[in-house]
Amino acid sequence: MKISIGKKTILFTHPVLIIGSYDMDFNPDIAAVAWGGICCSEPPSVAISLRKSRLTYENIMLNKAFTVNIPSREQVGSADYSGVYSGRDEDKFAATGLTPVNSGIVSAPYIKEYPLSMLCKLSHTIEIGIHTQFIGEILDVLVNDDILNEEGLPDISKARPIIYDSVSRSYFGIDEMISKAYIRVKK
Amino acid sequence: MKISIGKKTILFTHPVLIIGSYDMDFNPDIAAVAWGGICCSEPPSVAISLRKSRLTYENIMLNKAFTVNIPSREQVGSADYSGVYSGRDEDKFAATGLTPVNSGIVSAPYIKEYPLSMLCKLSHTIEIGIHTQFIGEILDVLVNDDILNEEGLPDISKARPIIYDSVSRSYFGIDEMISKAYIRVKK
């Protein structure tokens, strides 16, 4: 039986996305966002949502660019840290020991150590409510060579990404493959 | 070392979201969407992206409403099926054995058997490229009572959701909890 639990933002599952941006003095910053994901195949685009109070909001409005970085299971500590403190108070790259790299393609730093980074140019800004949604066109995807499969694409079982559960406020790993997709075809 | 793999929509991880809608004759339909997720906390809102060619696109434009339904691991077959065929050609509720329920709150059916359903009223329509993003305000969340935790909220370990990997075109399960969030605080 279905029970009504009211207006809530409970959905399974949320990705863990760490946003890279520069402030007005070109200091690199990273910050976890609660909400985001791919939103268009062509042009390849990713959406992230931010509150106006956050430094990352200010930085994206300034540079019209950001990076989306995906941590592996072993990097949950730095990913979590990036969502607790503000870049207004400290250098989070220094605090986490992560390395900012200037992509040269967009005015935003990516995280050297994380297995996958997307370089994004701001294409849309949508005011929804307490969150503003930024849509970025993905100009390039950078992948650590040790997670590539035989076709030169990132292998999820090597990347070992994590997901976030907003109910238990916890991170979870990815289990084994359950099934291929697009296989339910009529005989 | 980071390798450039070009403009691609590769992000870990994507949720598996099955959209419920009515056609112009109030026939209920379900369809998997590739891209989507929560996009705002207040008003609670969820974003999904659809190509204009899909019946679900037409149905949402007509009714200004949709439901977002989350399958459990055991329901991967019907979830996958809903993304392979079109509701223009057949009744996918009948084909999968799933039961449509009229919520009474929005003009869209939800899936009785899936553990979690969100009832959404269309609030924004954003043209990005080949995909249109629909943002829906979440008017209610319905949860099967057997996945509730002690606080009356959905328990991810009972819901047993799956994620989609667009590289291997496969579904994966969720593993054990790795870490609580917001715990990296300075002493």
Side-chain angles (χ1 to χ4, degrees), chain B residues 40-62:
Chain B
C40 186
S41 297
E42 188 55 45
S45 305
V46 59
I48 58 170
S49 293
L50 282 158
R51 292 178 191 237
K52 286 194 171 60
S53 59
R54 294 188 71 172
L55 176 61
T56 302
Y57 174 91
E58 202 174 289
N59 292 352
I60 294 175
M61 291 299 275
L62 184 71

Side-chain angles (χ1 to χ4, degrees), chain A residues 2-5 39 49 80 85 90 111 114 133 140 143 168-169 171 173 175 178-182 186, chain B residues 2-4 39 49 80 85 90 111 114 133 140-141 143 168-169 171 173 175 178-182 186:
Chain A
K2 279 237 169 54
I3 306 286
S4 162
I5 61 168
C39 62
S49 293
D80 188 51
Y85 291 97
E90 63 171 24
I111 303 173
Y114 281 15
Q133 181 183 241
D140 199 4
V143 181
S168 62
R169 295 167 66 92
Y171 302 102
D175 203 0
I178 292 173
S179 164
K180 297 294 284 185
Y182 311 109
K186 286 173 205 161
Chain B
K2 279 238 169 52
I3 306 286
S4 162
C39 62
S49 293
D80 188 50
Y85 291 98
E90 64 171 24
I111 303 173
Y114 281 16
Q133 185 188 53
D140 199 5
V141 179
V143 181
S168 62
R169 294 167 65 93
Y171 302 102
D175 203 0
I178 292 174
S179 163
K180 296 295 284 183
Y182 310 110
K186 287 174 205 159

Side-chain angles (χ1 to χ4, degrees), chain A residues 1-3, chain B residues 30 67 69-70 75 93 97-102 109-117 142-146:
Chain A
M1 195 182 74
K2 279 237 169 54
I3 306 286
Chain B
I30 45 172
T67 67
N69 304 271
I70 313 284
Q75 292 157 333
F93 272 103
L98 295 171
T99 311
V101 183
N102 189 325
Y110 67 84
I111 303 173
K112 181 183 176 187
E113 291 81 4
Y114 281 16
L116 192 147
S117 300
L142 302 177
V143 181
N144 283 352
D145 55 5
D146 59 356

Side-chain angles (χ1 to χ4, degrees), chain B residues 33-173:
Chain B
V33 288
W35 317 131
I38 297 293
C39 62
C40 186
S41 297
E42 188 55 45
S45 305
V46 59
I48 58 170
S49 293
L50 282 158
R51 292 178 191 237
K52 286 194 171 60
S53 59
R54 294 188 71 172
L55 176 61
T56 302
Y57 174 91
E58 202 174 289
N59 292 352
I60 294 175
M61 291 299 275
L62 184 71
N63 293 294
K64 313 293 184 201
F66 58 92
T67 67
V68 177
N69 304 271
I70 313 284
S72 73
R73 186 182 284 228
E74 291 71 22
Q75 292 157 333
V76 63
S78 58
D80 188 50
Y81 188 95
S82 79
V84 174
Y85 291 98
S86 171
R88 296 188 208 281
D89 304 320
E90 64 171 24
D91 177 347
K92 287 191 272 185
F93 272 103
T96 54
L98 295 171
T99 311
V101 183
N102 189 325
S103 71
I105 294 177
V106 296
S107 183
Y110 67 84
I111 303 173
K112 181 183 176 187
E113 291 81 4
Y114 281 16
L116 192 147
S117 300
M118 317 181 96
L119 312 181
C120 307
K121 179 183 74 173
L122 183 66
S123 62
H124 299 72
T125 302
I126 300 123
E127 300 297 343
I128 306 174
I130 66 169
H131 283 90
T132 300
Q133 185 188 53
F134 290 123
I135 295 177
E137 183 179 341
I138 302 163
L139 299 189
D140 199 5
V141 179
L142 302 177
V143 181
N144 283 352
D145 55 5
D146 59 356
I147 68 156
L148 294 175
N149 65 16
E150 291 174 358
E151 288 83 44
L153 293 173
D155 185 323
I156 191 169
S157 61
K158 293 179 180 170
R160 291 165 58 79
I162 54 180
I163 62 102
Y164 175 65
D165 172 37
S166 61
V167 178
S168 62
R169 294 167 65 93
S170 303
Y171 302 102
F172 288 75

